[in-house]
Amino acid sequence: MRAFHLLVPLALLALVVAAQAGLSVPSPFNSNVPSCLRVCPFGDLTYTVVIRDQASSPIVGSVVQIDFINCSTFHLCPPPTPQNTTQSTNGQGVAVFALKGGGGCARSVRVFADGVLMASSVSVASPDQDGNLFVTGLDQTVLAAKTAADPTGDLNCNGTHDAADGNVITAHMGHYCDGVIPVAPHSWGQLKVHYR
């Protein structure tokens, strides 16, 4: 608890120094950091943030980081797939992430810009609902069991889990991570026998 009380004044001091030096400080209130992050094992879904300062001006070159440390039910694709959870904003203050992974988690991902906490309750949704890094028909079954309020089933980021989310899984059917050998559920026993 004592360490936390020390961190708050230090963070405020850093912001004051940055402001005095004429550097733009990211503003969580003026920036656009969506609360829904979509990820596919194939990497064909994107997450876009716009970082602005206190005057609502876009910040060029702001370092944006997505922190999954509290999201144990989401899995990034393993090597050889490079995962870039840190991006710098472009001339319009925009950073675009095309992460590869599967699974999901509700309201536990944090997003930082230049060390400033921009959002602390971002949810992750993926057409790979079961988190095995391979989109199959089983993911439709997992999705169907979720309630409308579960943000991990909101695959189109419209604010609720509804029938349209199943279409997202259909569009990504068969997608998997590079380096992951897709195994159909019915062939798992045969695969085990083959490698004994």
Side-chain angles (χ1 to χ4, degrees), residues 64-82:
V64 181
Q65 180 183 19
I66 302 176
D67 178 9
F68 294 100
I69 196 161
N70 296 321
C71 188
S72 62
T73 53
F74 169 72
H75 311 288
L76 289 168
C77 290
T81 301

Side-chain angles (χ1 to χ4, degrees), residues 33-124:
V33 182
S35 61
C36 177
L37 190 163
R38 300 185 313 154
V39 178
C40 177
F42 193 66
D44 57 344
L45 293 173
T46 58
Y47 180 68
T48 302
V49 301
V50 182
I51 305 301
R52 299 183 185 92
D53 63 16
Q54 308 289 346
S56 291
S57 299
I59 301 177
V60 178
S62 179
V63 178
V64 181
Q65 180 183 19
I66 302 176
D67 178 9
F68 294 100
I69 196 161
N70 296 321
C71 188
S72 62
T73 53
F74 169 72
H75 311 288
L76 289 168
C77 290
T81 301
Q83 292 299 322
N84 195 355
T85 58
T86 302
Q87 296 275 359
S88 292
T89 57
N90 64 16
Q92 288 75 45
V94 175
V96 179
F97 295 84
L99 299 171
K100 297 181 178 185
C105 62
R107 303 174 191 92
S108 58
V109 171
R110 300 182 302 173
V111 178
F112 295 87
D114 298 332
V116 176
L117 180 63
M118 306 301 287
S120 61
S121 58
V122 174
S123 296
V124 178

Side-chain angles (χ1 to χ4, degrees), residues 153-178:
D154 183 13
L155 299 177
N156 59 5
C157 290
N158 69 350
T160 186
H161 159 47
D162 54 28
D165 297 309
N167 296 334
V168 175
I169 291 180
T170 301
H172 293 266
M173 194 66 68
H175 289 184
Y176 59 92
C177 294
D178 296 335

